[in-house]
């Protein structure tokens, strides 16, 4: 790069205004500046799970070690550092646990986690997990298709989207004291995405119930989307007619879209999505369209401009 | 402070500044860099680079406020350590993160504002590191040397912007560094304004060409 040479791209194009005038990021930083943290350290106990192998599992990939899956997490309710969730999530109570199911359904209901576990047999689903931050893992989830729950609930014809809400318990979640995101954490799927056989509600990984930092006791896993779409520790599932507001999209609509399908051709405004670092590797590998699940999901987006609906 | 104690202090600071690198090296060999070692290495060295840059900029104000020449004696060392960590940081990015894929790196530098700012900060620091020796100070003359080394404020600002732009959401630390940098810069501007004019006035009156120590 030459200093003093006039760039041939106008500076307004190099640096989008949103990067400079990003209110939430600024306010978040300012708020965190003004406070300190004192954090409890505990470790939740995982219990063994019975899970049948699934033909929908990804094959030929080396699994990411359990230690990395349980210590390298984004779960901002417990802090923004990757090591924070493992250190701070131990205080969250996951039993008893109920999930409110409401909105466009024939009969709103609140189900206990035990009832939910009886809806369908738990399967092992090995999926690639691609974070929007351009790292990835391969995780043997234990869960069941979200479609099993949806079929059980019988949403009305007005249900076009599903909204998932994460628990927001200030007593056990130190990150909630800061306006990192518009709490509680919410995510959403279009109905056909939710009904896709790849979409699961996970209750465990590696044959054991989920650790709190991985989203115990119940979380969403959508393998062809960036990891943040997988809402953790779900307390409410709401069926709605309009596209729901989601946490990251609300925080920064120009950077995190509602769809957030893994797409190597649509970069994050600030970094490339063409490559990723598989945890355990040194060099980056190319990112696959729809995280390698295009065969099963590309038809969901037929005719859509994925640069617009990123 | 005696000359001997000063030497001991110099040595302690010199070794102290190497500790972050030593710690990373040790953790690299014991496999204690976490799930994403490359990320840990790049982040940590970048973090230390900016810490040293910002710390280095505080030494002159500190010397003037305390009216004690001790802090500024460490300015060159701290500055060179900042450059040392910047070089490791950049090498890790080029070698491990990008795998020395030159077209990809060029594209990254041109397309990603945070990489652009990081690279500009590095390029600005190169001439400063080269001209950090006593010989170069003498060769350039204190006035020119001082003018050149004011670029460190630009480099540090680019460093903070580089950091700010890559953070996903929690910009606490970029804000802290940015604030310290702004305070240090404002302090120096505020200090320089009246003083420079009196020096200049005195100079033009007497016609003296007394050189000022490069503080």
């Amino acid at each position: 790069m030459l200093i003093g040479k006039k760039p041939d791209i106008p500076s307004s194009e190099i640096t989008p205004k949103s990067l400079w005038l990003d209110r939430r990021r600024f306010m978040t930083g300012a708020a965190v500046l003004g406070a300190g943290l004192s954090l409890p350290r505990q470790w939740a106990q995982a219990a063994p799970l019975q899970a049948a192998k699934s033909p929908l599992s990804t094959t030929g990939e080396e699994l990411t070690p359990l230690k990395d899956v349980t210590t390298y997490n984004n779960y901002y309710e417990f802090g923004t550092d990757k090591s924070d969730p493992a250190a701070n999530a131990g205080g969250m109570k996951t039993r008893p646990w109920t999930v409110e199911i409401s909105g466009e359904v024939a009969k709103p209901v609140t189900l206990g986690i035990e009832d939910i576990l009886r809806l369908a047999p738990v399967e092992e689903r090995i999926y690639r997990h691609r974070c929007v931050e351009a790292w990835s893992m391969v995780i043997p989830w234990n869960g069941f298709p979200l479609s099993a729950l949806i079929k059980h609930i019988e949403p009305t014809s007005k249900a076009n989207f599903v909204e998932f809400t994460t628990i927001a318990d200030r007593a056990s979640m130190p990150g909630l004291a800061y306006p990192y995101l518009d709490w509680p954490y919410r995510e959403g799927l279009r109905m056909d995405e939710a009904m896709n056989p790849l979409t699961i509600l996970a209750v465990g990984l590696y044959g054991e119930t989920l650790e709190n930092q991985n989203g115990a006791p119940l979380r969403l896993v959508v393998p062809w989307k960036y990891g943040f779409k997988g809402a953790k520790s779900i307390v409410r599932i709401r069926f709605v007619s309009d596209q729901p507001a989601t946490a990251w999209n609300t925080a920064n609509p120009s950077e995190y879209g509602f769809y957030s399908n893994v797409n190597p051709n649509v970069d994050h405004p600030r970094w490339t999505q063409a490559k990723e670092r598989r945890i355990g590797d040194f060099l980056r590998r190319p990112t696959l369209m729809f995280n390698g699940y295009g065969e099963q999901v590309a038809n969901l987006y037929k005719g859509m401009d994925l640069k617009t609906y990123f | 402070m005696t000359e001997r104690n000063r030497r001991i202090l110099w040595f302690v600071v010199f070794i102290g500044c190497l500790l972050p690198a030593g710690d990373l090296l040790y953790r690299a060999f014991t496999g204690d860099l976490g799930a994403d070692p490359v990320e840990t290495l790049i982040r940590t060295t970048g973090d230390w680079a900016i810490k040293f840059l910002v710390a280095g900029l505080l030494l002159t104000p500190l010397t003037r406020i305390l009216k004690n020449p001790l802090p500024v004696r460490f300015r060159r060392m701290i500055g060179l350590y900042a450059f040392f960590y910047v070089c490791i940081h950049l090498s890790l990015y080029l070698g491990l993160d990008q795998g020395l894929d030159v077209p990809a790196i060029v594209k990254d530098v041109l397309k990603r504002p945070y990489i652009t700012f990081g690279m500009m900060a590095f390029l600005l620091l190169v001439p400063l590191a080269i001209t950090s020796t006593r010989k170069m100070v003498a060769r350039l003359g204190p006035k020119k040397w001082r003018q050149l080394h004011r670029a460190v404020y630009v480099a540090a600002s680019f460093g903070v912007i580089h950091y700010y732009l890559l953070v996903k959401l929690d910009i606490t630390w970029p804000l802290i560094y940015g604030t310290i940098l702004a305070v240090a810069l404002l302090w120096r501007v505020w200090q320089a304004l009246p003083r420079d004019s009196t020096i200049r006035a005195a100079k033009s009156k007497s016609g003296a060409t007394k050189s000022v120590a490069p503080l």
Side-chain angles (χ1 to χ4, degrees):
Chain A
M1 169 145 316
L2 291 171
I3 299 167
K5 188 190 167 233
K6 226 180 156 201
D8 35 25
I9 316 164
S11 62
S12 59
E13 262 187 63
I14 297 172
T15 309
K17 206 175 174 187
S18 64
L19 301 185
W20 301 95
L21 300 172
D22 183 338
R23 193 166 163 273
R24 179 163 291 275
R25 281 178 85 220
F26 190 83
M27 298 223 336
T28 300
V32 177
L33 269 183
L37 282 175
S38 66
L39 309 164
R41 272 169 189 274
Q42 284 168 47
W43 198 273
Q45 278 289 294
L49 266 176
Q50 290 295 324
K53 298 214 180 304
S54 162
L56 291 171
S57 275
T58 302
T59 53
E61 297 260 26
E62 197 184 325
L63 300 183
T64 303
L66 177 65
K67 184 172 176 260
D68 292 338
V69 178
T70 53
T71 56
Y72 194 74
N73 309 103
N74 278 322
Y75 198 159
Y76 279 18
E77 284 87 336
F78 296 110
T80 55
D81 201 272
K82 299 274 189 306
S83 58
D84 285 341
N88 303 332
M92 181 171 70
K93 295 247 179 313
T94 57
R95 290 292 189 285
W97 190 275
T98 57
V99 180
E100 174 201 316
I101 295 167
S102 57
E104 300 291 346
V105 288
K107 202 172 144 244
V109 65
T110 296
L111 296 175
I113 185 71
E114 292 78 13
D115 307 323
I116 291 171
L117 277 162
R118 274 194 290 269
L119 287 174
V122 173
E123 306 167 24
E124 182 194 63
R125 295 281 184 102
I126 299 168
Y127 285 153
R128 281 178 289 268
H129 177 86
R130 170 64 156 79
C131 180
V132 74
E133 295 165 3
W135 54 265
S136 63
M137 295 184 177
V138 180
I139 304 173
W141 298 104
N142 304 117
F144 57 90
L146 173 62
S147 63
L149 179 129
I150 295 176
K151 281 172 194 156
H152 176 79
I153 293 304
E154 295 178 32
T156 70
S157 60
K158 284 189 218 154
N160 300 321
F161 294 89
V162 196
E163 179 200 68
F164 305 85
T165 306
T166 297
I167 192 171
D169 174 32
R170 282 192 82 118
S172 62
M173 297 176 134
L176 293 178
Y178 306 96
Y180 297 133
L181 295 163
D182 188 9
W183 312 118
Y185 194 96
R186 282 158 303 154
E187 257 311 332
L189 294 174
R190 218 168 55 189
M191 204 56 166
D192 55 348
E193 296 176 324
M195 290 299 290
N196 188 281
L198 287 182
T199 306
I200 60 166
L201 285 170
V203 294
L205 55 87
Y206 267 108
E208 304 218 317
T209 54
L210 289 172
E211 298 275 6
N212 288 352
Q213 62 269 32
N214 294 110
L218 185 75
R219 66 164 293 168
L220 182 66
V221 175
V222 196
W224 71 93
K225 291 177 182 282
Y226 292 120
F228 70 85
K229 288 297 290 181
K232 301 187 180 83
S233 309
I234 295 167
V235 290
R236 190 174 75 170
I237 299 175
R238 209 159 60 99
F239 294 85
V240 291
S241 55
D242 298 323
Q243 182 177 305
T246 57
W248 280 97
N249 181 242
T250 304
N252 202 331
S254 65
E255 298 192 350
Y256 309 99
F258 173 79
Y259 286 93
S260 285
N261 294 318
V262 175
N263 188 341
N265 309 315
V266 177
D267 283 340
H268 186 280
R270 287 182 283 141
W271 57 81
T272 177
Q273 296 291 25
K275 287 184 191 174
E276 67 199 49
R277 187 182 298 109
R278 178 66 52 81
I279 294 303
D281 286 357
F282 275 104
L283 298 176
R284 291 181 188 272
R285 62 175 68 198
T287 288
L288 305 171
M289 187 64 202
F290 296 117
N291 206 19
Y293 299 102
E295 214 174 287
Q296 293 102 314
V297 301
N299 60 318
L300 295 172
Y301 310 102
K302 217 179 274 167
M304 282 173 74
D305 180 0
L306 296 178
K307 282 194 164 64
T308 310
Y309 298 99
F310 59 93
Chain B
M1 188 174 268
T2 65
E3 184 57 30
R4 187 166 166 271
N5 283 351
R6 213 177 280 143
R7 270 165 196 261
I8 291 170
L9 182 65
W10 187 91
F11 189 71
V12 167
V13 175
F14 183 84
I15 297 296
C17 294
L18 271 176
L19 289 181
D23 176 59
L24 281 179
L25 211 59
Y26 175 76
R27 283 163 62 197
F29 279 106
T30 53
D32 190 28
L33 289 173
D36 196 342
V38 177
E39 179 80 3
T40 306
L41 287 171
I42 293 177
R43 289 276 173 137
T44 313
T45 50
D47 196 48
W48 280 107
I50 204 141
K51 278 193 170 91
F52 279 110
L53 262 182
V54 171
L57 290 174
L58 291 179
L59 294 175
T60 302
L62 215 58
T63 279
R64 293 214 190 138
I65 290 166
L66 298 176
K67 296 195 174 23
N68 183 326
L70 196 62
V72 85
R73 280 170 192 274
F74 290 95
R75 197 174 54 174
R76 173 165 56 190
M77 190 206 287
I78 299 295
L80 283 172
Y81 264 118
F83 187 66
F84 169 73
Y85 283 100
V86 164
C87 287
I88 303 178
H89 178 68
L90 177 64
S91 309
L92 288 167
Y93 160 75
L94 296 175
L96 283 185
D97 193 75
Q98 296 293 318
L100 290 177
D101 180 351
V102 176
I105 292 165
V106 171
K107 201 181 145 207
D108 226 16
V109 170
L110 295 178
K111 201 173 168 193
R112 309 283 155 210
Y114 81 97
I115 306 272
T116 315
F117 276 105
M119 200 58 91
M120 288 195 299
F122 166 73
L123 291 176
L124 273 170
L125 287 174
V126 172
L128 306 194
I130 292 171
T131 57
S132 65
T133 60
R134 272 176 221 279
K135 253 190 195 155
M136 286 304 284
V137 180
R139 218 166 116 187
L140 282 170
K143 200 178 165 196
K144 253 195 185 157
W145 187 91
R146 248 182 307 141
Q147 280 173 346
L148 174 67
H149 278 250
R150 276 183 199 140
V152 76
Y153 282 96
V154 183
S157 306
F158 285 178
V160 171
I161 294 168
H162 165 71
Y163 189 9
Y164 171 79
L165 287 178
L166 70 88
V167 170
K168 201 162 84 175
L169 195 72
D170 183 5
I171 56 159
T172 310
W173 281 99
L175 271 191
I176 289 173
Y177 295 134
T179 307
I180 298 174
L181 188 62
V183 169
L185 181 61
L186 285 175
W187 187 87
R188 290 213 64 174
V189 169
W190 173 71
Q191 284 272 307
L193 285 179
R195 227 170 263 187
D196 264 12
S197 57
T198 48
I199 289 169
R200 240 177 261 133
K203 262 186 202 170
S204 60
K205 228 181 236 170
S206 64
T209 51
K210 206 178 93 181
S211 72
V212 184
L215 271 188

